[in-house]
Amino acid sequence: MHSSDSAARAAQVLSRPFTLGSLTVPNRIAMAPMTREFSPGGVPGADVADYYARRAAGGTGLIITEGTYVDHPAAGTSGAVPRFHGEDALAGWERVVRAVHAAGGTIMPQLWHVGMARAAGAPPFPDAPPSGPSGLALDGTPSGHAMNQQDLDDVIAAFADAAASAERLGFDGVELHGAHGYLIDQFLWSATNHRTDAYGGSLRARTRFAAEIVAACRAAVSPDFPVLFRMSQWKMGNYQARLAETPDELQAVVGPLGDAGVSAFHCSTRRYWLPEYEDSDLNLAGWVKKLSGKPAVSVGSVGLDNEFIGTFRAEQAGVTGIDRLLDRMERDEFDLVAVGRALLGDPEWAAKVFEGRTGELQPFEASMLRTLS
């Protein structure tokens, strides 16, 4: 296929608007959430607003922000990750929303509780112990606090309050971080959830906490305000982990979450082109869309020739084509694609793809994580 044909195909496939409840995303490209720790005291400043607005101006239809801590003492593990509570932080996020909208984009905050990934003694609340379903770290080591019912209720309320704040500030939806071995995912995963009450045991029971968070957020916002749920099989530091070994097990997770009010699922994988289960080419997003009947967002090494793990080894990622992505999107396997490092390194990635300027795309270097360009 000639490059001009490829450009026309990319523009046709990716420039289609997509409607999700009250939100119409102007195209099919989202910015994936990426933690960078550029908010001293947890407050996003003008530089953060400029950072997101530049990606929106560069053609990205939907911005999903870096993870933001909900209002719970054990939610975070850094004093420079933005929070989504407190007048100062929310005022900063309101400026971010205005800047992104002025640049023609739409935006959702990702709401986050790190659970047992919290380092003991870390800011912003050094006295808060790491907390999780059974007080177990991802490697199974007892190292924190097993949450009681009051703890669960407090966290559920914190997510709901944050969702309500997001709508009030003018955001276009919210995303709940239920992936990568953080708190919500720790309840979903059998290796970290050893509870014997209603929140543990079968996979469906382990989904209860996540479903209650979703339902509380849904109740706190307007009926058509989008609530996304990010999920993954892999966990940070355990890339072979499997939440659901079969499509039936995956159905046991996404079914209750969809019933609770999830508008769409954001399915995190390391390589978007790999099939999730045998005897099917569908990736994780494709399976989740098929099983849940909900829209899905795919992600994983889009536009780059190595996966994100290389970032931790300071490896450069070169530019690569997206024909395989377009094949899947033409089949409506999933509805949107989230772009991470490629967009971090090149704020105009979307516009260049739409306009056939792929020769101008920039490679990604790990040092870019420390910049605000």
Side-chain angles (χ1 to χ4, degrees):
M1 181 176 289
H2 297 298
S3 59
S4 59
D5 295 332
S6 297
R9 181 185 180 216
Q12 180 180 21
V13 173
L14 295 175
S15 65
R16 298 170 295 162
F18 185 76
T19 298
L20 187 65
S22 59
L23 169 65
T24 297
V25 183
N27 57 55
R28 300 302 178 103
I29 298 176
M31 180 177 183
M34 291 172 285
T35 299
R36 298 176 314 116
E37 299 187 271
F38 275 90
S39 296
V43 179
D47 52 356
V48 177
D50 291 344
Y51 164 77
Y52 286 120
R54 188 174 179 191
R55 272 79 191 165
T60 301
L62 172 63
I63 304 292
I64 304 174
T65 75
E66 61 208 285
T68 69
Y69 297 149
V70 297
D71 189 8
H72 185 260
T77 193
S78 168
V81 166
R83 48 187 160 85
F84 211 79
H85 59 91
E87 291 185 8
D88 51 353
L90 294 181
W93 282 118
E94 190 170 19
R95 290 191 291 270
V96 173
V97 171
R98 289 200 300 265
V100 168
H101 285 169
T106 63
I107 183 169
M108 300 181 182
Q110 187 188 71
L111 307 180
W112 189 22
H113 191 302
V114 304
M116 294 298 299
R118 171 175 164 74
F125 298 99
D127 294 336
S131 298
S134 303
L136 299 175
L138 292 184
D139 63 2
T141 305
S143 59
H145 169 65
M147 298 171 70
N148 59 34
Q149 187 63 54
Q150 186 61 57
D151 297 324
L152 302 182
D153 293 343
D154 290 345
V155 169
I156 292 168
F159 273 95
D161 288 347
S165 294
E167 185 173 29
R168 176 173 55 82
L169 294 176
F171 279 90
D172 300 292
V174 295
E175 176 171 283
L176 311 179
H177 196 342
H180 304 164
Y182 296 113
L183 179 65
I184 296 175
D185 196 24
Q186 289 161 20
F187 273 83
L188 296 174
W189 194 34
S190 61
T192 44
N193 184 345
H194 293 182
R195 298 176 75 97
T196 57
D197 61 4
Y199 295 93
S202 70
L203 185 50
R204 183 171 289 272
R206 297 198 304 272
T207 305
R208 176 173 176 168
F209 180 59
E212 289 185 354
I213 290 175
V214 171
C217 290
R218 171 53 62 212
V221 298
S222 300
D224 59 353
F225 188 73
V227 176
L228 272 60
F229 188 92
R230 197 175 206 209
M231 61 180 297
S232 69
Q233 297 267 35
W234 64 273
K235 320 300 172 194
M236 194 62 68
N238 187 342
Y239 301 109
Q240 306 307 314
R242 303 282 287 176
L243 182 65
E245 295 285 355
T246 66
D248 285 345
E249 290 185 354
L250 186 61
Q251 173 65 54
V253 176
V254 300
L257 295 178
D259 292 343
V262 167
S263 306
F265 289 92
H266 184 179
C267 304
S268 177
T269 58
R270 294 158 64 194
R271 310 172 189 91
Y272 74 84
W273 58 87
L274 294 184
E276 192 61 35
Y277 298 113
E278 294 181 359
D279 302 322
S280 171
D281 289 334
L282 293 177
N283 70 5
L284 181 62
W287 271 109
V288 168
K289 179 178 179 179
K290 177 180 178 179
L291 294 170
S292 70
K294 302 286 186 178
V297 184
S298 189
V299 69
S301 302
V302 175
L304 297 176
D305 63 4
N306 71 1
E307 61 185 45
F308 73 91
I309 295 173
T311 303
F312 305 125
R313 299 189 290 262
E315 297 174 357
Q316 177 175 297
V319 174
T320 190
I322 58 170
D323 284 341
R324 288 181 293 185
L325 172 68
L326 300 178
D327 291 342
R328 290 174 181 269
M329 297 199 76
E330 283 177 335
R331 298 194 298 264
D332 289 324
E333 180 176 337
F334 42 80
D335 302 285
L336 290 95
V337 60
V339 180
R341 293 167 299 146
L343 190 53
L344 183 67
D346 192 339
E348 296 184 1
W349 187 90
K352 290 176 181 179
V353 169
F354 291 144
E355 296 165 10
R357 296 186 288 131
T358 53
E360 301 176 22
L361 292 171
Q362 300 296 310
F364 171 82
E365 297 181 8
S367 60
M368 292 174 175
L369 286 169
R370 298 188 294 273
T371 72
L372 277 171
S373 62

